[in-house]
Amino acid sequence: MARVFNFSAGPAVLPEAVLQQAKDELLDWHGSGCSVMEMSHRGKEFMAIAEKAEADLRELMGIPAGYKVLFLQGGASAQFSMVPMNLLRGKKSADYINTGEWSKKAIGEARKFGAVNVAATAEASKFSTEPAQGELKLDPNAAYVHYTPNETIGGVEFSYVPQTGAVPLVADMSSTILSRPIDVSKFGLIYAGAQKNIGPAGLTIVIVREDLIGQTVPGTPAMLDYKIHADNGSMYNTPPTYAWYIAGLVFEWLKKNGGLKVMAQVNERKAKKLYDYIDASGGFYKNPVERHSRSWMNVPFTLKSEALDEPFLKGAKAAGLVQLKGHRSVGGMRASIYNAMPETGIDALVGYMQDFMKKNG
Ligand code: PMP
């Protein structure tokens, strides 16, 4: 069967070249006589794979010295708790910016460990925009400021990095990491579940400034303590070795394909093509997000009538375009177009949308 264009929000499409390489290396990695899945995480072969993956990620993102890169488990959801447990550092409260479903989840967890000051919320706009810098009511005594640069469900992306002065900035980059260059030095901590723009589910990446770790709330379990993971090279326990290896192949693929600057150009172009078509459809298709906050990675859209949703999805599937159904909490459609979605996938989607409108407009 031919491969489909998979618009899933995650687990998401991976680069075909990476899957092919994984297939070629599946039974015998580089003459080792075994699969990466079967290797000891402390053996020299896996250690080499792990170190190369970290070095490539550091190079791609320009991660400065003084930051630890951790390869963890538990998804971004575990980070909703690990962030307050590790970064409150005896302070009373943390600032959170609320831009939608994932911010709300992060806020809910943080409230278990301390006070949360919602520094701004986009609720009044039905989460169709990001709050401007001037609207942020930041507390200079906050332990950190948390925000969600890209809300995967709402398709709302920050067009700027909030300035927080001396207060460390924490970002849930699950659905935007590696989509463009960022200045890591502006952040105290970045986290991301891997299953969107990094690799398979089961791996979670944390990039954290070294001076922020080692001051957990009393009773923090070892597995939830960044310092313990950092001191053990993310091998305090058995890490998700195969996911780590695949992430490493994705980092190599990104480097071979021009790195994050080129990714940014391609991603911007891909997103623009889709938004331009939606905007030009005379209201048949609609995206609710203000232009300056539109996500390059997740494009939600509705059809003229809900009754058309099922026929749209059925026809899309028949055309090899899958996983377009919107999140269960919002309905409609959502096209997730991460790095590994080729531009031909956008062309195929727009072509299908045009045909569908002609038949149903
Ligand atoms: N944050 C964001 C922005 C997400 O998109 C997701 C997953 N869709 C999560 C957190 C939760 O991630 P996980 O399933 O890895 O816990």
Side-chain angles (χ1 to χ4, degrees):
M1 188 197 170
R3 277 176 60 76
V4 292
F5 288 118
N6 175 7
F7 294 93
S8 170
V13 57
L14 284 165
E16 203 166 315
V18 164
L19 296 177
Q20 193 60 51
Q21 188 176 345
K23 180 182 170 200
D24 293 345
E25 296 176 348
L26 184 67
L27 295 180
D28 173 15
W29 183 83
H30 295 205
S32 64
C34 68
S35 172
V36 175
M37 273 183 259
E38 304 166 304
M39 287 176 182
S40 161
H41 56 296
R42 301 189 197 281
K44 79 173 185 325
E45 280 118 344
F46 186 76
M47 290 297 278
I49 290 171
E51 279 163 21
K52 168 110 183 10
E54 180 177 335
D56 284 345
L57 181 63
R58 283 184 174 276
E59 185 184 329
L60 278 166
M61 292 183 71
I63 300 172
Y67 282 79
K68 293 285 187 190
V69 178
L70 308 177
F71 291 77
L72 307 180
Q73 304 182 55
S77 300
Q79 293 311 309
F80 294 162
S81 342
M82 282 177 78
V83 165
M85 288 173 110
N86 285 264
L87 296 199
L88 275 171
R89 295 166 295 135
K91 294 182 190 271
K92 285 200 178 59
S93 70
D95 286 353
Y96 277 71
I97 303 173
N98 182 8
T99 48
E101 294 307 313
W102 294 111
S103 313
K104 283 193 234 169
K105 285 237 163 101
I107 290 168
E109 279 300 296
R111 287 208 164 114
K112 296 178 182 170
F113 302 97
V116 167
N117 167 44
V118 178
T121 173
E123 203 151 5
S125 74
K126 294 205 181 105
F127 296 115
S128 64
T129 185
E130 94 256 22
Q133 174 76 45
E135 292 170 318
L136 307 179
K137 296 200 174 58
L138 298 174
D139 170 5
N141 296 314
Y144 58 86
V145 179
H146 179 284
Y147 83 120
T148 312
N150 187 71
E151 283 282 355
T152 321
I153 295 174
V156 171
E157 184 150 11
F158 272 76
S159 52
Y160 70 101
V161 176
Q163 284 172 22
T164 58
V167 180
L169 180 62
V170 175
D172 173 1
M173 289 206 186
S174 293
S175 48
T176 185
I177 194 165
L178 300 174
S179 67
R180 73 202 71 189
I182 54 154
D183 180 354
V184 175
S185 71
K186 289 184 175 162
F187 298 85
L189 188 147
I190 291 167
Y191 64 90
Q195 66 273 19
K196 301 164 192 301
N197 234 356
I198 296 174
L203 171 70
T204 311
I205 301 264
V206 173
I207 301 164
V208 59
R209 231 173 62 201
E210 276 171 34
D211 62 293
L212 296 176
I213 62 178
Q215 302 164 67
T216 48
V217 295
T220 297
M223 277 300 288
L224 303 184
D225 185 337
Y226 293 131
K227 179 84 166 47
I228 289 184
H229 289 293
D231 288 349
N232 289 280
S234 303
M235 298 205 190
Y236 171 71
N237 74 324
T238 315
T241 49
Y242 199 73
W244 192 331
Y245 153 73
I246 299 284
L249 296 186
V250 171
F251 302 153
E252 280 175 17
W253 176 82
L254 286 168
K255 281 174 60 180
K256 259 186 235 149
N257 285 279
L260 303 192
K261 267 198 193 136
V262 171
M263 282 303 131
Q265 285 162 5
V266 176
N267 286 328
E268 186 174 18
R269 195 165 67 224
K270 276 160 45 185
K272 185 172 184 317
K273 221 181 234 184
L274 189 48
Y275 287 118
D276 282 353
Y277 174 66
I278 290 170
D279 290 345
S281 70
F284 188 88
Y285 300 106
K286 273 192 192 140
N287 168 274
V289 181
E290 283 185 25
R291 271 161 208 263
H292 64 94
S293 305
R294 281 176 165 179
S295 168
W296 289 1
M297 295 284 103
N298 311 97
V299 182
F301 61 92
T302 50
L303 274 64
K304 191 179 69 175
S305 134
E306 259 178 54
L308 292 172
D309 287 0
E310 276 317 307
F312 180 89
L313 288 166
K314 202 167 158 221
K317 190 163 182 220
L321 310 166
V322 306
Q323 300 284 351
L324 283 161
K325 197 176 163 103
H327 191 271
R328 58 190 184 280
S329 64
V330 291
M333 304 297 147
R334 173 177 51 173
S336 294
I337 51 176
Y338 300 116
N339 287 340
M341 171 58 65
E343 212 160 341
T344 48
I346 309 295
D347 294 335
L349 176 59
V350 168
Y352 169 72
M353 288 168 77
Q354 280 167 337
D355 279 355
F356 187 84
M357 186 167 86
K358 251 187 234 143
K359 289 186 193 132
N360 297 279

